[in-house]
Amino acid sequence: MTIYQDYLKENILKQPGLVAWWPMDDPLSLPYARVLTPGITVGKNVAFNGTFDTDTVWTKGTGWTIAGGVAHCDGTGGAASLTQPSNNTAANTGHAYTFTYTISNYVSGSVRAFINGNASQFTLRNANGTYTETVVVTTVAALLGITCIVSFVGDIDNIIVTELNIPPVGCSYSDPTLIVDGTMESAGTASWTAGNSATLSKQTGTPHGGSQVLRIARNGVSSPYAGQTVLTVGQVYRAYGYMRSDGSATPIVYQGSTVLFTGTTSTSWQTFDVVFVATATDIRFGTSTNTGTQYVEFDDATVTLDRSLRLGEIIQDGDMETAGTGVWVAVNSATLTKDTGSPHAGTQNLRVARNGVNAPGAAQSVFVIGKKYRITCWVKSDGSATPRLQDTSVTIASGTTSTSWQLIDTIYVATTTDIRLTAVTSTGTQFCEFDDLSITEVHPMVGLPVNGVVQQSPALGHLLYAYNYDGTNDLLNAQSVQLNAMFNPNEGTVIAWIRVSAVGIWTDGVIRTAFSMSADGSNIIQMRKQVANNTFLWGYTAGGTVKTTSKSNVSTTDIMMVALTWSKTADQVIPYFNGNREGSILTGLGTWTGNLATTGTVIGATSTVPASPWSGKINDVRLYSRALSAPEILREYRKYLPQFQTPLWR
Ligand SMILES: [Ca+2]
Ligand SMILES: [Ca+2]
């Protein structure tokens, strides 16, 4: 533990340029790789060649040309677009971006910024000027660029697209909430402004937390609300907490008069969690009712900048100890009961039984699309039905038909809002049981262990634990839109501590990749064992220009520190093995073009397929946004050798 704590201090708090760290060594019971992004909350420009220096990268619709350092449109193409691939197309939903561009030599027509599927969020422009807009991407976006709405004649230049509000510190980061009395525990309602003649009161019946909740009741005028003026127009915020109905009125979260989130008329506490770009200055909790004195209630509400992670448990009744099943929504006519036969812990678990419709489930709507979550749950079967964790439609993880409790522990990027506990069955009243469900948000750059990477395997030489790769299909998918935003392809360092599972791996005749980061076949950073016996390779390929160094006669089964630095400015790529430079300094670097591929940033394989899986241990992988010097690399090696650790850290 002491080693780990000092290691944290040394590596995370004192290392300039460290943008990502997969420690894979965690005695603090946080078994997943974590990523630290000190001081960086705005990503790099993910639009390539936004200055139109060359006629490359962009796909030009009819009428568009690139010359003289600008993109020109002659208007002959009508609603034609100028586009390039967006970064990480499948996972950028839910993330906030600013989009800046300049119109010059304007003649006629109009354009707007373009992230496909989301273009309507941007404002039409029809005059010279530089425009900056912020949106939260709500639809999977494969392309970005500029689109003509009415035949546009003029020039476009200086396109910059950056991700905003990246959590700046590890996976427990949170900004302070911007609202006062979000827990509703203050005496009275003075912190809240009543809107539309609302009657505001604090109530004490079954609060979500503490001893009080805020009730917003109609008082002669429709759409009563309680508000606080805490927002700045153009900033990206996240509002989350709990709401419930009196059984009639629908609880709603608004900014100004714009609906952000609509609940249900359930009298059980419901989660709300929404990310938005502020177009008003006040956040409002209320209801659209226009009947009598109907009311809604709110508790434990938080409003922060979106860069915060939501801390703590998100699921309600995860231990299944609450009386009844009120917080769970039955899916597919499921019969939901609390069973007391043999819970995993406590006195109850949730039983989900078939009731005439296949695949019965129990649901809560808790996810924000695009956010990353760790989900753990104990599941078991009646011996026939298969327990499954899924979102609204897609399987997240499955158990077996064993009647013993089984632990599911997985990482999930939300693509829908529901978590569903499902019994996969089409027979009779078969059932599955669930207990001790936990859902917590994790840092967006945390990797996804795939195919059974063993975590917390003894490291045998560097720190206490490592990930263990079986050499068949294990990998850690490290890709994320945030990592892409952090990754500097022109200046950087990657360090990894690795060891092979057996000496025979060095002569098994296949490639085994420890670390790989790629945009496509022409832009790749890799460290790997080669087909040739006893050979390790470092590679930096940019714009198709390949720079590699091989080291032969490697046969160690000890842990090794391999590192690679790259600097476009210095025109140098330098490989390192156990702290020392390996071979010559490589020069004549190409120019990296492209965002990281969704399948191409992997620890322990070349791709997520997986291709060329590692066999053995990997821990403590670090990515920097600068080329570390030779003395710095040597220091990294010496500092964490076991013989140095003992006197230093114990
Ligand atoms: Ca409360
Ligand atoms: Ca229980």
Side-chain angles (χ1 to χ4, degrees):
M1 184 69 85
T2 303
I3 291 175
Y4 186 76
Q5 299 287 15
D6 287 335
Y7 193 72
L8 268 176
K9 279 185 234 165
E10 188 69 18
N11 274 292
I12 302 314
L13 302 180
K14 294 183 180 174
Q15 289 204 320
L18 180 67
V19 294
W21 180 44
W22 293 270
M24 301 178 172
D25 173 342
D26 202 335
L28 304 180
S29 298
L30 296 169
Y32 287 98
R34 292 184 290 154
V35 180
L36 284 291
T37 57
I40 301 174
T41 58
V42 176
K44 73 169 185 284
N45 184 7
V46 294
F48 285 83
N49 191 27
T51 50
F52 302 100
D53 299 340
T54 55
D55 186 4
T56 58
V57 178
W58 295 96
T59 299
K60 296 163 289 183
T62 304
W64 285 97
T65 52
I66 295 174
V70 299
H72 175 72
C73 189
D74 65 10
T76 57
S81 297
L82 177 71
T83 61
Q84 63 175 266
S86 169
N87 66 310
N88 196 359
T89 56
N92 52 14
T93 310
H95 298 280
Y97 294 87
T98 58
F99 197 125
T100 297
Y101 64 104
T102 298
I103 300 175
S104 58
N105 298 314
Y106 174 81
V107 177
S108 61
S110 61
V111 294
R112 65 184 174 197
F114 177 74
I115 296 178
N116 70 312
N118 303 270
S120 62
Q121 295 190 64
F122 293 102
T123 303
L124 282 178
R125 306 293 181 182
N126 51 19
N128 287 335
T130 295
Y131 303 100
T132 297
E133 302 173 57
T134 299
V135 302
V136 174
V137 173
T138 55
T139 303
V140 171
L143 298 171
L144 61 82
I146 296 290
T147 188
C148 303
I149 300 304
V150 180
S151 294
F152 170 75
V153 181
D155 295 340
I156 299 291
D157 200 2
N158 299 324
I159 295 176
I160 301 170
V161 182
T162 54
E163 180 169 2
L164 283 185
N165 293 22
I166 298 169
V169 188
C171 56
S172 61
Y173 182 76
S174 187
D175 281 307
T177 184
L178 299 169
I179 56 175
V180 179
D181 192 29
T183 62
M184 315 304 178
E185 298 301 305
S186 298
T189 59
S191 300
W192 299 93
T193 300
N196 291 334
S197 302
T199 303
L200 305 185
S201 61
K202 293 291 178 63
Q203 301 288 327
T204 57
T206 61
H208 178 268
S211 61
Q212 297 189 139
V213 308
L214 176 65
R215 178 176 292 181
I216 302 110
R218 183 177 177 276
N219 177 28
V221 179
S222 69
S223 301
Y225 67 86
Q228 288 190 24
T229 303
V230 295
L231 308 177
T232 300
V233 172
Q235 290 280 342
V236 185
Y237 295 96
R238 182 175 186 182
Y240 57 88
Y242 299 88
M243 50 168 47
R244 67 182 175 190
S245 168
D246 60 357
S248 300
T250 302
I252 301 173
V253 178
Y254 306 84
Q255 61 159 330
S257 57
T258 303
V259 173
L260 294 174
F261 192 98
T262 302
T264 73
T265 56
S266 168
T267 57
S268 296
W269 288 112
Q270 311 153 39
T271 296
F272 66 89
D273 198 343
V274 60
V275 173
F276 60 98
V277 179
T279 55
T281 58
D282 62 323
I283 188 86
R284 300 177 182 178
F285 301 141
T287 171
S288 57
T289 185
N290 194 25
T291 304
T293 55
Q294 289 183 353
Y295 64 85
V296 293
E297 294 180 335
F298 284 76
D299 201 1
D300 290 337
T302 298
V303 177
T304 67
L305 287 170
D306 178 46
R307 64 184 185 157
S308 290
L309 303 187
R310 181 172 178 177
L311 302 183
E313 274 298 335
I314 292 168
I315 200 78
Q316 299 188 83
D317 191 29
D319 62 6
M320 312 301 177
E321 299 299 309
T322 303
T325 59
V327 304
W328 297 97
V329 175
V331 176
N332 292 337
S333 304
T335 302
L336 305 183
T337 53
K338 291 292 176 65
D339 180 76
T340 57
S342 58
H344 175 260
T347 61
Q348 299 187 139
N349 58 259
L350 179 67
R351 176 176 290 184
V352 178
R354 185 173 178 278
N355 176 29
V357 181
N358 298 341
Q364 287 186 38
S365 183
V366 294
F367 296 131
V368 176
I369 292 170
K371 302 292 185 190
K372 188 173 283 184
Y373 300 90
R374 181 181 177 196
I375 305 172
T376 61
C377 188
W378 290 88
V379 304
K380 68 176 181 179
S381 168
D382 60 356
S384 299
T386 300
R388 182 166 76 189
L389 306 187
Q390 63 171 87
D391 64 15
T392 305
S393 56
V394 176
T395 298
I396 298 170
S398 294
T400 72
T401 55
S402 167
T403 57
S404 298
W405 287 109
Q406 312 148 43
L407 177 64
I408 290 176
D409 185 347
T410 190
I411 296 278
Y412 165 72
V413 179
T415 55
T416 67
T417 58
D418 276 10
I419 177 74
R420 291 188 181 176
L421 312 180
T422 299
V424 182
T425 171
S426 55
T427 306
T429 56
Q430 290 182 353
F431 63 86
C432 290
E433 295 184 333
F434 303 85
D435 204 357
D436 291 329
L437 169 64
S438 167
I439 301 181
T440 49
E441 188 174 341
V442 296
H443 194 284
M445 282 161 68
V446 162
L448 285 76
V450 175
N451 293 332
V453 177
V454 176
Q455 302 158 35
Q456 291 199 293
S457 174
L460 307 175
H462 177 74
L463 296 176
L464 298 176
Y465 301 102
Y467 276 20
N468 191 59
Y469 294 76
D470 67 1
T472 302
N473 59 3
D474 292 359
L475 62 95
L476 179 98
N477 180 1
Q479 164 65 339
S480 67
V481 289
Q482 284 81 10
L483 183 64
N484 181 67
M486 299 292 170
F487 167 58
N488 184 342
N490 299 319
E491 306 290 328
T493 300
V494 61
I495 295 175
W497 290 81
I498 62 176
R499 68 187 301 157
V500 295
S501 59
V503 69
I505 295 298
W506 289 112
T507 55
D508 65 4
V510 295
I511 294 172
R512 295 195 178 277
T513 301
F515 181 87
S516 184
M517 192 170 232
S518 65
D520 53 34
S522 299
N523 299 277
I524 310 167
I525 291 169
Q526 260 182 17
M527 299 191 292
R528 71 192 201 198
K529 194 225 96 185
Q530 290 290 78
V531 170
N533 286 348
N534 305 100
T535 304
F536 196 85
L537 176 135
W538 293 255
Y540 176 91
T541 299
T545 302
V546 180
K547 298 294 166 185
T548 61
T549 292
S550 292
K551 178 180 179 61
S552 54
N553 300 315
V554 187
S555 59
T556 182
T557 56
D558 290 339
I559 200 146
M560 312 172 281
M561 190 188 94
V562 290
L564 185 70
T565 68
W566 58 93
S567 173
K568 180 73 174 167
T569 308
D571 193 29
Q572 290 185 339
V573 165
I574 309 178
Y576 293 89
F577 183 82
N578 285 346
N580 295 308
R581 192 181 89 205
E582 183 65 32
S584 304
I585 294 175
L586 304 169
T587 60
L589 278 56
T591 298
W592 185 287
T593 303
N595 290 295
L596 294 173
T598 53
T599 57
T601 300
V602 180
I603 297 172
T606 295
S607 72
T608 56
V609 169
S612 307
W614 186 251
S615 176
K617 316 274 188 186
I618 304 179
N619 73 0
D620 192 11
V621 178
R622 280 176 266 157
L623 179 69
Y624 298 75
S625 59
R626 66 187 179 95
L628 269 61
S629 66
E632 284 178 308
I633 296 283
L634 184 59
R635 179 170 174 270
E636 287 308 306
Y637 177 64
R638 287 182 168 168
K639 192 165 52 177
Y640 299 109
L641 287 176
Q643 62 267 39
F644 287 93
Q645 282 183 4
T646 301
L648 274 175
W649 307 121
R650 283 182 177 155

